[in-house]
Amino acid sequence: MGLLRLLVLAVLASEPRMAGGAETVGNSSEGLLEFYIGKFRYFKLNRLSPEDAILRHISSNASFLIFQIHSQYQNTTISFSKTLLRNTSGTGTDRGLVFILRPEQSMCTWHLETLDAEPVQNMAIPLTYSERDPVPGGCNLEFDLDIDPNIYLEYNFFETTIKFAPANLGYARGTNPLPCDIGTGRDSRWRLLYDVYQYFLPENDLTQEALLKHLQRMAEVPQVKANAIKVVTLTANDKTSVSFFSLRGQGVLYNVIVRDPLLNTSAAYVPAHTYACSFEAKEGNCSSLRRVSTKVFFTLFALLGLFICFFGHRFWKTELFFIGFIFMGFFFYVLITRLTLLTYDVRLILTAVAGSVGGILLVAAWWRFGILLLCMLCVGLVLGFLISSVMFFTPLGNLKIFQDDGVFWVTFSCIAVIIPVVFMGCLRILNILTCGFIGSYSVVLAFDSYLYTSLSYITLNVLKRALNVDFHRAFTTVPFQTNDFIILAVWGMLAVSGITLQIRRERGRPFFPPHPYKLWKRERERRVTNILDPSYHIPPLRERLCGQLTQIKELFRKEQPAGERTPLLL
């Protein structure tokens, strides 16, 4: 029986068109993995024991079928035969092959293997399509396979890009496919449309079981339309490449549905997935993305922000330090990231130092010059930055007009500047609103350093766009799940509580504290002229410091012995 099995596979490999397995008879499926149309099957592959699979009872109405196989991060190879050729096999975590069926063919076989040292958990499914359905990847000119239904995915820290081959119109068994580049009329593949879909896995869930379970919702056309989010529709004239911004540690599934608007038919490509991180990296893998330095930085930042949320207006200088820290820290981080190759931890430390210097400078400017409008302009711009970031975090930010950097930054800046202008007549309200919203949002950023939340991307999206020149082409859609609703409620509760508390406490008090330098100068003059003031008799600062140093020296001076200090004369 083993000899018969090898003979069958040899016949399949020798077919002139490597688009499908040959029809076989008898009990040839013994020892093979058997699949059924539209049914998912789980199985494991080992390096030392590759598998051969078979699909039988293919309907005569089917013109072609797509067999797809998925794993979490270990590569699997799928081929038409045991002889692995570049144009007849594919290797990856999400791979598929198109089988063009011949007349009377009702059975297909293929070869599966892995080179990974550890066993690989896989899930696979065969799907059939009729002659009216478009053929995904049927006009491939870029990738290795002759007909390539796969979605190729690349990612970095900033963006994730998917690419796929153009489709062709469907055709009946035994006929030749339509030419891909002859004519652009309604009777050619140029009438086809491509809907790009995105699906988010549960947050903070990196398990293999969750991935394979949710991939089942992205394999067939009706399920994709029912469960995923349609991001964009491309025409045949558009480039078959779409960019999304990367969500490190968050599982995301992508698929493309090609539609024939004339025949009202459609077909799905092979879905692809990513976590925008590596499971096998020794440092910074998907299980340890959150660095200790990030946790320390944002925890301290959140503690200061929480204080500002409830007491910022009362402690005016502390709030100014907080605002100056944000201003200087943001621009300094963008500058050193774009101009240097320093590691993340070093950049974060330098940003903390620069932010502290910025906060001290703003406090010093207020203490010396007392220009309230200048300080409130900085306060209002920080609030405007957050409000503008929130607006572009909504679907408004994915409008095509804002993919132009010039339009985006001009609009973003105008919204940020409008906020202090609108509140110029009620500066105290502006200051209290800034304390409440900015201070409470710092707590959201601290949450993200320990537990993933999409709300942190309100500002991180803007930071990434400032850091990367290609980020403008990325769609900024994010998941909004249970964790996000809870943290959004916490953010709103903190903001409302802080604003309400400060408005009630500051009722009947002066709007802002007086000019510190004038108060200090007036107090100094009063001490000089009023001899009845006890502080008049206080020695100058220099004499007091010298006195303190003398007392410290006395503590370390060796005590001299009492009594006779000279030897007795004999």
CSV table of all heavy atoms in Angstrom, one decimal, residues 14 57 149 163 208 225 294 302-303 328 385 394 431 455 488 502 512:
chain,number,residue,atom,x,y,z
A,14,SER,N,4.1,14.7,-11.9
A,14,SER,CA,4.5,14.7,-13.3
A,14,SER,C,3.5,15.4,-14.2
A,14,SER,O,3.7,15.5,-15.4
A,14,SER,CB,4.7,13.2,-13.8
A,14,SER,OG,3.5,12.5,-13.7
A,57,HIS,N,-14.2,13.9,-3.4
A,57,HIS,CA,-15.7,14.3,-3.6
A,57,HIS,C,-15.8,15.8,-3.9
A,57,HIS,O,-16.6,16.5,-3.4
A,57,HIS,CB,-16.5,13.9,-2.4
A,57,HIS,CG,-16.4,12.5,-2.0
A,57,HIS,ND1,-16.6,11.4,-2.8
A,57,HIS,CD2,-15.9,12.0,-0.8
A,57,HIS,CE1,-16.4,10.3,-2.2
A,57,HIS,NE2,-16.0,10.6,-1.0
A,149,PRO,N,-2.7,33.2,-4.1
A,149,PRO,CA,-3.8,33.8,-3.3
A,149,PRO,C,-3.4,34.3,-1.9
A,149,PRO,O,-4.2,34.7,-1.1
A,149,PRO,CB,-4.7,32.6,-3.1
A,149,PRO,CG,-3.7,31.4,-2.9
A,149,PRO,CD,-2.6,31.8,-3.8
A,163,LYS,N,0.6,43.1,1.2
A,163,LYS,CA,0.7,43.1,-0.2
A,163,LYS,C,0.0,41.9,-0.8
A,163,LYS,O,0.1,40.8,-0.1
A,163,LYS,CB,2.1,43.2,-0.7
A,163,LYS,CG,2.9,44.5,-0.3
A,163,LYS,CD,4.3,44.4,-0.7
A,163,LYS,CE,5.1,45.7,-0.3
A,163,LYS,NZ,6.5,45.7,-0.8
A,208,GLN,N,-2.2,30.4,21.2
A,208,GLN,CA,-2.4,29.8,19.9
A,208,GLN,C,-3.8,29.4,19.7
A,208,GLN,O,-4.3,29.5,18.6
A,208,GLN,CB,-1.5,28.5,19.8
A,208,GLN,CG,-1.5,27.8,18.5
A,208,GLN,CD,-0.6,26.6,18.5
A,208,GLN,OE1,0.5,26.7,17.9
A,208,GLN,NE2,-0.9,25.6,19.2
A,225,LYS,N,-17.2,39.2,6.0
A,225,LYS,CA,-18.1,40.4,6.0
A,225,LYS,C,-18.8,40.6,7.3
A,225,LYS,O,-19.1,41.7,7.7
A,225,LYS,CB,-19.0,40.3,4.8
A,225,LYS,CG,-18.4,40.4,3.4
A,225,LYS,CD,-19.4,40.3,2.3
A,225,LYS,CE,-18.8,40.4,0.9
A,225,LYS,NZ,-19.8,40.3,-0.2
A,294,THR,N,10.3,51.9,30.8
A,294,THR,CA,9.0,52.5,30.5
A,294,THR,C,8.1,52.5,31.7
A,294,THR,O,7.4,53.5,31.9
A,294,THR,CB,8.4,51.7,29.3
A,294,THR,OG1,9.3,51.7,28.2
A,294,THR,CG2,7.1,52.4,28.9
A,302,ALA,N,2.7,59.4,36.0
A,302,ALA,CA,1.3,59.3,36.4
A,302,ALA,C,1.1,59.8,37.8
A,302,ALA,O,0.0,60.4,38.1
A,302,ALA,CB,0.8,57.9,36.2
A,303,LEU,N,2.0,59.5,38.7
A,303,LEU,CA,1.8,60.0,40.1
A,303,LEU,C,1.8,61.5,40.1
A,303,LEU,O,1.0,62.2,40.8
A,303,LEU,CB,3.0,59.5,40.9
A,303,LEU,CG,3.0,58.0,41.2
A,303,LEU,CD1,4.2,57.6,42.0
A,303,LEU,CD2,1.7,57.6,42.0
A,328,MET,N,8.9,70.2,26.7
A,328,MET,CA,10.3,69.9,26.3
A,328,MET,C,10.5,68.5,26.1
A,328,MET,O,11.2,68.1,25.1
A,328,MET,CB,11.2,70.4,27.5
A,328,MET,CG,12.7,70.2,27.2
A,328,MET,SD,13.2,71.3,25.8
A,328,MET,CE,13.3,72.9,26.7
A,385,PHE,N,-3.3,70.1,22.2
A,385,PHE,CA,-2.7,68.9,21.7
A,385,PHE,C,-3.5,67.7,21.9
A,385,PHE,O,-3.7,66.8,21.0
A,385,PHE,CB,-1.3,68.8,22.3
A,385,PHE,CG,-0.5,67.6,21.8
A,385,PHE,CD1,0.3,67.7,20.7
A,385,PHE,CD2,-0.5,66.4,22.5
A,385,PHE,CE1,1.0,66.5,20.2
A,385,PHE,CE2,0.2,65.3,22.1
A,385,PHE,CZ,0.9,65.4,21.0
A,394,THR,N,-10.2,59.3,16.0
A,394,THR,CA,-11.5,58.9,15.5
A,394,THR,C,-11.3,58.5,14.0
A,394,THR,O,-10.3,58.8,13.4
A,394,THR,CB,-12.5,60.0,15.7
A,394,THR,OG1,-12.2,61.1,14.9
A,394,THR,CG2,-12.6,60.4,17.2
A,431,ASN,N,-7.2,76.5,32.9
A,431,ASN,CA,-6.2,75.9,33.7
A,431,ASN,C,-6.7,74.7,34.4
A,431,ASN,O,-6.1,73.6,34.4
A,431,ASN,CB,-5.6,76.9,34.7
A,431,ASN,CG,-4.4,76.4,35.3
A,431,ASN,OD1,-3.4,76.0,34.7
A,431,ASN,ND2,-4.4,76.3,36.6
A,455,LEU,N,-6.2,53.2,24.2
A,455,LEU,CA,-6.3,54.7,24.5
A,455,LEU,C,-5.0,55.3,24.5
A,455,LEU,O,-4.9,56.6,24.3
A,455,LEU,CB,-7.0,54.9,25.8
A,455,LEU,CG,-8.5,54.5,25.9
A,455,LEU,CD1,-9.1,54.6,27.3
A,455,LEU,CD2,-9.3,55.3,24.9
A,488,LEU,N,-11.3,53.8,29.9
A,488,LEU,CA,-12.0,55.1,29.5
A,488,LEU,C,-12.9,55.6,30.6
A,488,LEU,O,-12.9,56.8,30.9
A,488,LEU,CB,-12.8,54.8,28.2
A,488,LEU,CG,-13.6,56.0,27.7
A,488,LEU,CD1,-12.7,57.1,27.3
A,488,LEU,CD2,-14.5,55.6,26.5
A,502,GLN,N,-11.6,71.0,42.0
A,502,GLN,CA,-10.8,72.2,41.9
A,502,GLN,C,-11.7,73.4,41.7
A,502,GLN,O,-11.5,74.5,42.3
A,502,GLN,CB,-9.8,72.1,40.8
A,502,GLN,CG,-8.7,71.1,41.0
A,502,GLN,CD,-7.5,71.3,40.1
A,502,GLN,OE1,-6.8,72.2,40.3
A,502,GLN,NE2,-7.4,70.4,39.2
A,512,PHE,N,-5.3,83.6,40.1
A,512,PHE,CA,-4.0,83.1,40.0
A,512,PHE,C,-3.1,83.8,41.1
A,512,PHE,O,-3.4,84.9,41.6
A,512,PHE,CB,-3.4,83.4,38.7
A,512,PHE,CG,-4.0,82.6,37.6
A,512,PHE,CD1,-5.0,83.1,36.8
A,512,PHE,CD2,-3.5,81.3,37.3
A,512,PHE,CE1,-5.6,82.3,35.8
A,512,PHE,CE2,-4.1,80.5,36.3
A,512,PHE,CZ,-5.1,81.0,35.5
